[in-house]
């Protein structure tokens, strides 16, 4: 209060004002550092959350792979129901409005959807699209704006009338898991 009274009356000297200014700048630097630390902590938590999400989707994809390996003509109806459940759980878990399982037909080099929640079956070359890239590289892809990604297959959106806003695509592996050679498909 004394400082403010003296400031109001013009009694402070330049040296005192400079000291007060330096003190305030030091406080501001401390606050900026604290803010940076908090932002860093929040970013780390966000990354941990994204990693956990990807790991959970990998588990779903692995389950899909196990189910696909056990497919027989007799059990196809039950299998379709199970794949519908997998995509439904993926949608719920990711808070997504769509989820698709693309199966890889190595002989024809095609990806086709057995379950395309909210749309009809889709077929395309395994050399195209985000799903094709995941199938080829066996790597998870998280695309925040696929419309600007050169790998994005816009013809699917055109065909379905849907506008894709983001994509998280996970490979589905057969025997040997993610160290094996056999990619069964992609959960997108």
């Amino acid at each position: 209060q004394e400082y403010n009274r003296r400031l109001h009356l013009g009694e402070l000297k330049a040296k005192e004002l400079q000291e007060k200014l330096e003190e305030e700048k030091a406080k501001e630097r401390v606050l900026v550092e604290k803010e940076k630390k908090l932002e860093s902590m929040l970013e780390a938590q966000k990354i941990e959350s994204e990693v956990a999400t990807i790991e959970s989707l990998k588990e779903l994809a692995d389950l899909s792979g196990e189910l696909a390996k056990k497919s027989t003509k007799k059990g196809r109806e039950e299998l379709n129901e199970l794949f519908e459940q997998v995509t439904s759980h993926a949608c719920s878990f990711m808070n997504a409005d769509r989820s698709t399982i693309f199966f890889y037909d190595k002989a024809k080099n095609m990806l086709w959807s057995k379950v395309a929640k909210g749309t009809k079956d889709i077929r395309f070359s395994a050399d195209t699209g985000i799903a094709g890239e995941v199938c080829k590289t066996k790597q998870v892809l998280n695309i925040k704006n696929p419309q600007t990604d050169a790998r994005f297959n816009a013809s699917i959106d055109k065909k379905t009338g849907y506008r894709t806003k983001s994509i998280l695509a996970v490979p589905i592996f057969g025997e040997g898991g993610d160290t094996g050679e056999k990619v069964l498909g992609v959960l997108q």
Side-chain angles (χ1 to χ4, degrees), residues 85-122:
Q85 288 176 7
V86 168
T87 57
S88 180
H89 286 298
C91 283
S92 177
F93 181 74
M94 294 299 300
N95 194 26
D97 56 338
R98 293 210 180 173
S99 177
T100 305
I101 296 175
F102 290 106
F103 289 95
Y104 177 53
D105 182 339
K106 187 174 182 177
K108 295 180 182 176
N109 194 38
M110 295 286 289
L111 285 168
W112 55 278
S113 68
K114 187 65 178 168
V115 177
K117 189 168 176 56
T119 188
K120 297 178 182 178
D121 285 353
I122 300 168

Side-chain angles (χ1 to χ4, degrees), residues 21-37:
L21 180 62
E22 291 300 320
E23 184 181 309
E24 293 300 318
K25 284 182 180 180
K27 287 179 185 177
E28 183 178 350
R29 283 191 295 274
V30 168
L31 287 174
V32 167
E33 285 301 313
K34 285 182 180 179
E35 183 179 0
K36 285 180 183 177
K37 284 181 183 177

Side-chain angles (χ1 to χ4, degrees), residues 4-21:
N4 287 337
R5 184 190 68 77
R6 289 179 64 206
L7 178 64
H8 180 69
L9 296 174
E11 296 175 358
L12 290 177
K13 297 178 182 173
K15 184 178 179 183
E16 289 177 304
L17 286 174
Q18 185 63 33
E19 288 172 358
K20 187 66 175 176
L21 180 62

